[in-house]
Amino acid sequence: MEHAVLQPNTLAEPLPSGTPGALAGLRVIDMTRSCLQYCGKLFAQLGADVLLVEPVDGCDTRHQGPFLDDVPHAERSLAFGYFNQGKRGIAIDLASTEGRQLLRELARDADLLIESESPGTMTRHGLDHDSLSALNPKLVTVSITPFGQTGPYRDYVAEDIVALALGGLLHMAGDPDAAPVAACGNQAYLAGAQFGAVAAMSALLQVESGGSGQQLDVSIQECVSMALENAAQYVDLEGFVRSRNGSRQRQAGSGLFRCADGMVYLMADGIASTRSWDATVQWLIDEDTPEAQTLRDPVWKLPPFLASDEGKQRFETIFLAFSTRRTKAALYAEGQRRRIPICPLNTTADLQVNRQLGHRGFFQETLHPYTGRRIAVPGAPYLLTETPWRMGQPAPRLGEHTSAVLSELGHDQRVQAVWLRAGVIA
Amino acid sequence: MTAARPLAGLRIADFTWIGAGAFATKIFSDLGADVIKIESRARIDQLRQARPFRDGVPGLNRSGYFADRNSSKRSVTLNLNHPRARELARKLISMSDIVANNFTPGVMEKFGLGYADVVQFKPEIVYLAMSMQGQSGPESRYLGFGLTMGALTGLHNLCGNPDRNPIGTGTNFPDHVPCPTHAAFATLAALRHRRRTGRGQMIDLAQIEPTIALLGPAVLQFTANGQVAQRTGNEREGRAPHGVYPCAGEDRWIAIAASGSAQWQGLLHVFDDDTLAADPRFATDAARWTNREALDQALARLTAHRDGARLMRDLQSAGVPAGMVQHADDLLRHDPQLAHREHWSWLDHPEMGRSVYSALPFRFSASDTAPTSPAPLIGQHTDEVCHDLLGLSSEEIAGLRASGALD
């Protein structure tokens, strides 16, 4: 793999002063761990004031790789930096009475609290939604946990792979002759973060229309099950249990195929239609592919044949003779010109030179909080014409804003010094 | 359950079809918005023709794939090639808060329903456009589905074993989680802005971008460290045991991820195996990581004859993260947690009968969020919407129908 020198597409431009974020004025307390912190990031980058509350020795995300230059260090986690861009940070020991009181003070002025403690923990600390809403009836609390706040699994412990397993997605990925394989990059917890953000935003709209705050109980297992496509309905309607298909074609003409410099994903069969089939066959014929004429046989319109090993094998033989002489870029360009759904199998390096992402300015630079290094990161996941997404400041160093936030709450610096010495804050 | 649904009172003129768009607007309809799905028999939503079908019998009103994504919505048929239908669409939009579509750029414009057209008569509209690659740029008109987007975004390449071809998630993943959630979040944020300022706006969501955003750490591994992220199967850096192990029965597996000495001791207690406990290769976290292949083999021998559900309960009782690999039948019929949470909603559909829908994956303490009605039959609410909302008389509706505008 060639390592192109990174050409940053754009540098995040400061917003014209006065451009409001869509979420300007919202105050969010983010007590989550791991990549659940993506939830708070969504709020921060649309303009909310998001305060990350960490334990005094730092949250676990700081210990997650990859690390900058591969040097393991609590201030060098690229995952932490990415998931906490745009937030301020404070470190409080919630095991201490004073620490819990500080959190109550923060909650009194907040619109949203995002937390991911094991069910029951917040109650033990006197920080559960009912206690906090006595101080602030408009507070929305979103609790994101592996299995939810109640039920037989509420005390079960999980990791991403466990949530993928119990949520059903793990069963659907992998080669049929081997063990199921988990999706990369903590997609279960990230699903929890995303649905948590949607739930919270809905409840906040309700509050701002005059409603009361409430607690939102997000189950990561359920979030994973949203990704099962049609598998539950297959069981219910056709009595069929979907399993994993691995890297084989889903049906003839739809799947991953080798080409000269990698692989492409072709969906000649589309979803529930054969509209791209004729265009694909015409392409192969136009390029003088051996045997391509045979793909015009009516048998290729019959679902059972398309699903058969014979159909898949015959298509693959014909298509590989064509694709392995062409690059993924060439197949992508010409296939799409012919309105055929075909895409290259990209690596993370390929993304950096993708001209469409470049056109949109998707990758933007930010500064690494600890080293000051400029790093290109995925930028706006949506473009809003009136209230643009913003990169926001680099993720907080541990306790970076502790003193500023406590001063805002009216605690003078001599008291803060006492708390620092006592380990209540960092 | 008391308060009104959180999004009651909102209306969406919903032009989305197939996967990602319809799932985004399901979030709104289940949360109480009046989502009016605009369809046409002249251009059928392909998902209506996608398996599974009730009893395996195809039909436009029999697809479970379509149904699950379209709960709590109304369906109106408008043939937008017809000028009278476009007029009705504009009227419907003028009575809506949100317009949503996931067409290739140019399609809505062709019907005179692009953002530039709509702001002329409805300046405060929140206009959600979720095409595959965004509204402008050299590849903005390229097309695809969730699976091809998985390849394009880098997701597919990163899922699978390093010594085999990539396998992705086995699904059209971007359609199911990243695109619907990001679209809904941005739309809700834009609604907040409108409530505060009276100003609408357009949201240009390129479906490939949320999925790349979710791969952030892998992307940074390249942009910061110059390393192209590779597939690692079920292995996660620095963690052992972390994997999927065989259980008794056909194709039954359990996921186990134990870290730290407490979880390791819990695991040893459950397996009660002297050899494993005494093996110096597995004495510390670092040793277990260094010897992870041997550890995986040793664990697989111990799990292979055990019942997955029982082993999960035992490991969980000992504080070890463990979960049996469940398939859809397990989830639907046997999972006590999903049953407790009433994740599956059973709704009586006029043609499909009692059939299963997903509830949204969260519970509100003071609002109901379960789906309210099954997926609409195609055009089921055309007359109702034309009459009650658009104020047309029965004669006018009959005339429109005869003209083909309501096909």
Side-chain angles (χ1 to χ4, degrees), chain A residues 3 70 82 214 222 229 238, chain B residues 51 172 213 226 341 343 366:
Chain A
H3 287 216
D70 286 330
Y82 181 69
Q214 50 180 321
E222 277 189 80
E229 210 157 79
E238 299 198 15
Chain B
R51 287 183 71 188
N172 291 274
R341 289 178 63 87
H343 175 69

Side-chain angles (χ1 to χ4, degrees), chain B residues 39-263:
Chain B
E39 310 186 68
S40 173
R41 289 184 183 81
R43 187 179 186 173
I44 297 284
D45 184 340
Q46 291 168 43
L47 220 51
R48 284 194 178 275
Q49 300 169 317
R51 287 183 71 188
F53 300 110
R54 163 58 78 194
D55 304 325
V57 179
L60 290 181
N61 298 313
R62 301 180 70 85
S63 164
Y65 201 165
F66 174 88
D68 186 39
R69 272 158 177 64
N70 290 285
S71 53
S72 317
K73 300 181 188 175
R74 300 201 274 177
S75 166
V76 167
T77 45
L78 291 180
N79 181 356
L80 295 173
N81 293 313
H82 197 290
R84 292 295 312 280
R86 293 199 292 273
E87 194 182 306
L88 292 179
R90 285 193 294 274
K91 193 163 178 188
L92 190 56
I93 288 170
S94 72
M95 304 173 81
S96 300
D97 302 281
I98 300 162
V99 169
N101 82 84
N102 60 330
F103 294 123
T104 307
V107 173
M108 289 293 276
E109 287 75 8
K110 189 182 76 183
F111 297 130
L113 300 173
Y115 181 62
D117 305 303
V118 170
V119 284
Q120 299 301 317
F121 62 90
K122 181 75 174 178
E124 71 275 29
I125 198 77
V126 171
Y127 191 101
L128 170 66
M130 40 193 305
S131 62
M132 174 174 159
Q133 304 228 40
Q135 294 299 302
S136 70
E139 293 165 3
S140 61
R141 293 184 50 77
Y142 283 16
L143 52 88
F145 298 97
L147 276 158
T148 54
M149 276 184 249
L152 191 58
T153 55
L155 173 73
H156 198 97
N157 186 46
L158 286 171
C159 298
N161 288 309
D163 57 344
R164 289 177 174 230
N165 282 335
I167 44 91
T169 61
T171 62
N172 291 274
F173 187 74
D175 288 355
H176 308 320
V177 178
C179 292
T181 56
H182 282 77
F185 185 75
T187 303
L188 292 164
L191 286 167
R192 177 178 187 265
H193 181 70
R194 193 193 64 173
R195 183 169 284 147
R196 287 155 56 89
T197 65
R199 296 179 66 87
Q201 58 182 314
M202 176 171 181
I203 299 161
D204 170 12
L205 181 143
Q207 288 194 32
I208 57 173
E209 291 177 348
T211 297
I212 302 174
L214 297 175
L215 300 175
V219 170
L220 268 66
Q221 208 178 328
F222 180 71
T223 59
N225 290 350
Q227 299 154 355
V228 180
Q230 304 294 329
R231 292 187 290 285
T232 65
N234 289 323
E235 187 175 301
R236 293 297 178 266
E237 184 71 23
R239 316 190 59 147
H242 186 288
V244 174
Y245 306 90
C247 293
E250 196 190 330
D251 199 31
R252 302 308 308 206
W253 308 83
I254 188 168
I256 301 174
S259 53
S261 100
Q263 290 183 0

